[in-house]
Amino acid sequence: MAHIFTYGSLMFEEVWKRIVLGNYSHAPARLEGYARRCVKDEAYPVVFEADESVNGVLYYDVEPYDIASLDAFEGEYYERKTVLLHNCIDAEVYVLKEKYFDIVEDKFWSEEAFATEGIKRFCETYKGFMPLSS
């Protein structure tokens, strides 16, 4: 099991529940030393190392079968890295691989805009995704 730090679409229960099977406790968290930016022509963001911080949601003790589903959902653009959050908790986070930096838009991602506009488009795009069974 591992703690998973989320910073974009997965912070929203409507998206998270499409990917994982388990029920996990969660809390707000902050990741230092990373920046969050929009992806060109997409509703979701990416993070990469930078001299900034990112607010998100930390899910506790996520089961390996759900981590496998998250890995499949995140795909080839990301690597799952272990990081130390601001409250000294080790967590896994999906970080954009350097070779894909060309998809990054120099624009801050807005949680509020995603909640009011982007989530609908995002869920329509990913409506066929089902979690991997254990």
Side-chain angles (χ1 to χ4, degrees), residues 70-126:
L70 291 165
D71 288 349
F73 172 77
E74 293 293 359
E76 69 178 283
Y77 287 95
Y78 302 89
E79 63 179 309
R80 182 167 34 92
K81 293 178 69 172
T82 301
V83 295
L84 185 64
L85 298 178
H86 78 286
N87 52 356
C88 297
I89 293 177
D90 283 331
E92 303 284 306
V93 63
Y94 291 92
V95 177
L96 183 66
K97 293 177 183 174
E98 191 172 332
K99 68 182 181 179
Y100 296 114
F101 276 16
D102 61 324
I103 71 168
V104 177
E105 187 174 1
D106 189 24
K107 179 179 167 189
F108 289 100
W109 184 79
S110 167
E111 183 178 339
E112 295 79 19
F114 186 82
T116 58
E117 303 164 16
I119 195 167
K120 182 177 187 241
R121 182 175 66 139
F122 185 88
C123 288
E124 286 171 356
T125 303
Y126 289 99

Side-chain angles (χ1 to χ4, degrees), residues 11-90:
M11 294 190 308
F12 293 82
E13 188 172 337
E14 185 176 344
V15 177
W16 177 259
K17 290 292 188 184
R18 288 173 179 244
I19 311 304
V20 302
L21 297 171
N23 292 311
Y24 302 103
S25 59
H26 56 281
R30 186 174 68 244
L31 175 62
E32 301 286 348
Y34 285 80
R36 175 174 51 198
R37 295 292 185 276
C38 292
V39 172
K40 294 175 185 172
D41 301 319
E42 297 290 351
Y44 59 88
V46 295
V47 297
F48 50 87
E49 289 188 46
D51 190 23
E52 297 181 24
S53 65
V54 176
N55 291 322
V57 173
L58 178 64
Y59 291 92
Y60 296 99
D61 299 321
V62 178
E63 294 285 352
Y65 58 85
D66 279 332
I67 293 172
S69 291
L70 291 165
D71 288 349
F73 172 77
E74 293 293 359
E76 69 178 283
Y77 287 95
Y78 302 89
E79 63 179 309
R80 182 167 34 92
K81 293 178 69 172
T82 301
V83 295
L84 185 64
L85 298 178
H86 78 286
N87 52 356
C88 297
I89 293 177
D90 283 331

